[in-house]
Amino acid sequence: MRLAEALLALFRVLVYIFLLAPIAVVVLASFNAGNFLTFPPQGLSLRWFVTFLQNDVFMDAIVYSAVLAALATAVSLVIGTMAALYYVRHAGKEAETVRVLLLLPLILPEILTAIALLFFFYEIGIGLEHKIALFTGHVLMTLPFVFLNVTTSLQGRDEACELAARSLGASRMTAFRRITLPLIAPGLATGGVFAFIISFDTFGISFILKGTGSAPLPIQLYDYLRFNFTPEAAAVSTVSIVFTLVAVVAADRLFGRKA
Amino acid sequence: MTEVSLLSLVKSYGGAPALRGISLNVGHGQFVSLLGPSGCGKSTTLRCIAGFEEVTDGRILFDGKDISRKLPEKRDIGMVFQSYALFPHLTVAQNLAFGLEMRKVPKAQIAERVAKTLDLVQLTPYAGRYPKALSGGQQQRVALGRALVIEPAILLLDEPLANLDAKLRDEMRGFIRDLQKRVGITTIYVTHDQNEAMTMSDLVVVMFDGDIAQAGTPEEIYNTPATEQVARFVGNANILDLPVAASGAGMAEVTLPGGAALSVPAPATPGARLGIMARPEQIALADAGQGHLQGRVTRRLFGGGYIDYEIATDCGVLAVQTPANVLAGEGAAVGLVLDPARLWPVARDAAA
């Protein structure tokens, strides 16, 4: 028994190393004092963070990605919640079809969704103008996460609560706002955080559909790495990792136990 | 207080109709039970009255005013759900206040009316608790309080006792009945439990297959059921299939296998057969050779205050219930005494 437990513990440690080592390497490399992206770092310094903060291209990209993610999340929250309500309460026989269709962007390789959108938007004559294709792609990629999380919190709830509110004099809209919304808030929060992170990090969709002009952070980083090999890229990644971590921890603290 | 009328209510979901044109009148302050097996349309009727289902045809009147096209929130009803449907994110007091807030009642009045209603449903000490911190019976009373605090025109209850254990169910039965009498509100109660319906109601409406089979006082439904189906649903019933020997003046004389004759209030022609209902407690046991009918005890179940017998006779196996001081062992030959005043002819089921 002792041996089995020890082996299990060892296995656990190995899994964690496998998952976390690359992140640790990136973070450590970002504090590199040298001129090249190397590991172990040659001396400790924050100079690459300063370089990054002074680099308008990256700063613009971060803001651009954050705004894109926020807008995509907002639209996904609205559409995803409506879809979840329909799926749980009214879809009946079509429920499974509805679910599969909504989850398709999650099931298909991202690149397929991206190419399909590319064809579609050229076919209808919009092409990659005005970032409409890029935005649509981000909404599609984030929608399943909102849908899944809201569906889960709806399924644990009694539909009679809404009917009870109606019988007490609340209109459909008031019943949704006062009763349903507070009950699915944990699902909305978790789904929203997921959606934001997915949009912030997604590469394939952004790469194919970005068009001309400003680009999201992952694309900018990719472009940068093709011609440069400085620790600045690691600094950008570290900031991005911290960003994601803070969002996840905050969501878990706020809603983790309830969801 | 409000009078509720259903006029030829039809509800259809595309296939066979769930309600086949039912009509019913519920008087001021009456307690009416809709009783029937699952799928008989009793819950559909309630949901139509509440406005959760749109009626396919027919009308619903509150005090003569047609409300069948109104939205649920405009109907002024209080409803208690089988699952209670308490708002889990609100305290007991906030649950009660919700309906008053929707009616734009001033804050001070809300507090006062909530306090009064909490007192009525005996939950004052629990005002600040959340529903999940309450027992089933307490949750039930919150649901009642929430429905009553808005002083609705009518109170609708959908199998409210189904989720409680037997002892609590008996308690709540009395509690709801007392409360309804005290408040004097017109109440429609849906249940599949004939005992609940009989003990609580002024009027019992027995429903089968989307239609009303019989509406009457609990006594009428129990003692003078319209059909064999009703007789069997509202209690244990022995149905004796007997030939008519003579008839006249609205009475028929039927002959039992042993030759004994009984007269029952039914128009019938001699030679026809009549279904005669006798409840188990309306049959008494006597020594073998005496009484209207002879039989042998095939099963004897001691029930505390009473004994249930199964007795094989020439009229089939009959259920008999006697006080516990009447002793006849299994296998004993006994005579059965029928009470002619309580025999009742019922229409036989087509299938029987």
Side-chain angles (χ1 to χ4, degrees):
Chain A
M1 280 320 268
R2 278 272 172 80
L3 183 69
E5 275 167 31
L7 280 174
L8 187 65
L10 179 71
F11 184 69
R12 245 187 334 246
V13 170
L14 285 175
V15 168
Y16 276 120
I17 289 175
F18 180 74
L19 288 174
L20 297 176
I23 297 175
V25 167
V26 169
V27 172
L28 289 174
S30 67
F31 293 101
N32 201 337
N35 284 327
F36 296 97
L37 194 50
T38 51
F39 191 83
Q42 303 158 315
L44 282 178
S45 160
L46 290 174
R47 63 181 276 219
W48 293 111
F49 283 91
V50 175
T51 316
F52 157 54
L53 289 173
Q54 286 168 344
N55 185 339
D56 286 345
V57 176
F58 278 139
M59 289 315 286
D60 285 353
I62 277 208
V63 171
Y64 185 82
S65 270
V67 171
L68 179 64
L71 289 176
T73 302
V75 172
S76 273
L77 279 175
V78 174
I79 301 178
T81 303
M82 293 197 291
L85 278 169
Y86 177 75
Y87 168 69
V88 175
R89 301 272 194 255
H90 307 289
K93 281 184 203 138
E94 284 98 58
E96 276 319 289
T97 318
V98 169
R99 198 171 71 94
V100 170
L101 284 177
L102 276 158
L103 296 186
L104 222 45
L106 198 65
I107 299 163
L108 289 176
E110 190 180 335
I111 201 79
L112 279 188
T113 311
I115 293 170
L117 282 172
L118 187 70
F119 283 160
F120 173 76
F121 277 101
Y122 272 108
E123 198 65 38
I124 64 169
I126 294 179
L128 299 179
E129 293 296 308
H130 312 303
K131 310 284 184 191
I132 293 172
L134 179 67
F135 185 68
T136 309
H138 276 244
V139 170
L140 273 182
M141 290 307 294
T142 53
L143 198 55
F145 295 92
V146 174
F147 173 75
L148 283 175
N149 280 292
V150 176
T151 297
T152 309
S153 42
L154 265 179
Q155 275 166 338
R157 296 300 173 185
D158 188 356
E159 190 189 2
C161 275
E162 287 144 53
L163 297 182
R166 300 286 305 280
S167 78
L168 290 167
S171 66
R172 241 176 226 279
M173 203 54 213
T174 310
F176 176 75
R177 196 168 45 79
R178 291 281 311 270
I179 304 302
T180 314
L181 205 55
L183 297 183
I184 62 171
L188 283 173
T190 316
V193 168
F194 266 118
F196 189 90
I197 292 170
I198 294 294
S199 166
F200 199 80
D201 284 348
T202 199
F203 182 81
I205 287 271
S206 301
F207 187 69
I208 305 276
L209 301 174
K210 76 175 174 59
T212 52
S214 20
L217 187 62
I219 307 302
Q220 217 59 269
L221 200 58
Y222 172 75
D223 279 348
Y224 179 85
L225 280 173
R226 283 163 70 195
F227 306 107
N228 309 278
F229 205 64
T230 69
E232 187 177 353
V236 176
S237 305
T238 303
V239 169
S240 182
I241 289 165
V242 170
F243 208 70
T244 309
L245 211 61
V246 167
V248 171
V249 171
D252 190 59
R253 278 288 152 81
L254 281 174
F255 301 101
R257 249 156 279 148
K258 287 186 225 163
Chain B
M1 285 204 245
T2 308
E3 202 176 1
V4 179
S5 307
L6 310 182
L7 302 177
S8 333
L9 213 58
V10 176
K11 175 67 192 176
S12 160
Y13 295 99
L19 294 179
R20 304 167 185 272
I22 64 167
S23 296
L24 178 67
N25 211 64
V26 182
H28 295 289
Q30 259 195 331
F31 192 116
V32 174
S33 288
L34 304 181
L35 172 68
S38 61
C40 73
K42 57 190 193 299
S43 284
T44 307
T45 308
L46 201 73
R47 290 170 66 87
C48 284
I49 298 172
F52 300 145
E53 302 278 359
E54 227 172 281
V55 299
T56 310
D57 198 15
R59 293 191 297 156
I60 302 166
L61 309 182
F62 285 5
D63 277 341
K65 276 187 299 247
D66 189 349
I67 53 106
S68 18
R69 305 286 156 203
K70 276 194 179 179
L71 292 169
E73 60 265 32
K74 307 275 183 212
R75 291 193 181 191
D76 197 20
I77 48 165
M79 180 142 176
V80 175
F81 294 81
Q82 183 173 350
S83 62
Y84 314 143
L86 301 179
F87 307 137
H89 60 302
L90 301 181
T91 63
V92 169
Q94 286 168 337
N95 264 277
L96 263 64
F98 186 86
L100 297 173
E101 285 166 21
M102 292 300 119
R103 284 165 168 71
K104 308 259 187 301
V105 175
K107 271 216 169 114
Q109 266 191 52
I110 291 183
E112 190 185 319
R113 281 169 71 176
V114 167
K116 221 176 81 189
T117 308
L118 280 175
D119 191 45
L120 190 70
V121 295
Q122 300 165 16
L123 283 171
T124 308
Y126 303 97
R129 292 242 194 129
Y130 284 92
K132 64 168 183 270
L134 300 178
S135 71
Q138 290 165 338
Q139 291 186 18
Q140 166 82 81
R141 298 211 299 273
V142 179
L144 269 169
R146 187 179 64 180
L148 287 173
V149 71
I150 56 174
E151 292 171 10
I154 58 167
L155 179 62
L156 305 176
L157 301 135
D158 187 8
E159 307 234 11
L161 305 184
N163 292 342
L164 299 177
D165 61 55
K167 191 163 170 291
L168 200 53
R169 197 152 52 214
D170 286 348
E171 260 175 55
M172 284 308 296
R173 211 189 275 184
F175 182 83
I176 293 179
R177 180 59 174 161
D178 290 348
L179 195 62
Q180 191 267 340
K181 281 281 162 251
R182 195 132 42 103
V183 180
I185 187 173
T186 309
T187 302
I188 301 176
Y189 186 101
V190 162
T191 180
H192 64 269
D193 182 332
Q194 85 282 354
N195 229 331
E196 250 171 65
M198 302 237 262
T199 49
M200 298 172 82
S201 320
D202 299 313
L203 185 75
V204 177
V205 178
V206 185
M207 293 182 69
F208 292 113
D209 197 23
D211 225 333
I212 294 178
Q214 189 177 4
T217 63
E219 289 82 359
E220 283 168 357
I221 298 283
Y222 187 77
N223 292 323
T224 59
T227 65
E228 181 181 353
Q229 203 180 17
V230 174
R232 291 194 188 282
F233 193 78
V234 297
N236 211 339
N238 298 299
I239 311 281
L240 289 72
D241 186 51
L242 301 173
V244 176
S247 68
M251 298 296 281
E253 197 174 271
V254 292
T255 323
L256 285 159
L262 288 164
S263 65
V264 290
T269 46
R273 296 186 79 85
L274 265 184
I276 307 293
M277 181 198 75
R279 297 284 182 195
E281 72 281 3
Q282 294 166 358
I283 303 176
L285 294 187
D287 292 334
Q290 296 186 330
H292 299 102
L293 198 59
Q294 302 306 309
R296 188 169 293 279
V297 176
T298 53
R299 191 158 75 191
R300 174 180 175 278
L301 300 171
F302 177 69
Y306 57 90
I307 299 177
D308 278 323
Y309 291 99
E310 256 180 27
I311 297 173
T313 71
D314 292 338
C315 283
V317 177
L318 301 184
V320 175
Q321 192 180 73
T322 68
N325 56 7
V326 176
L327 297 173
E330 282 183 7
V334 290
L336 282 73
V337 183
L338 300 168
D339 180 356
R342 308 203 48 187
L343 296 178
W344 180 253
V346 292
R348 303 302 308 272
D349 290 348

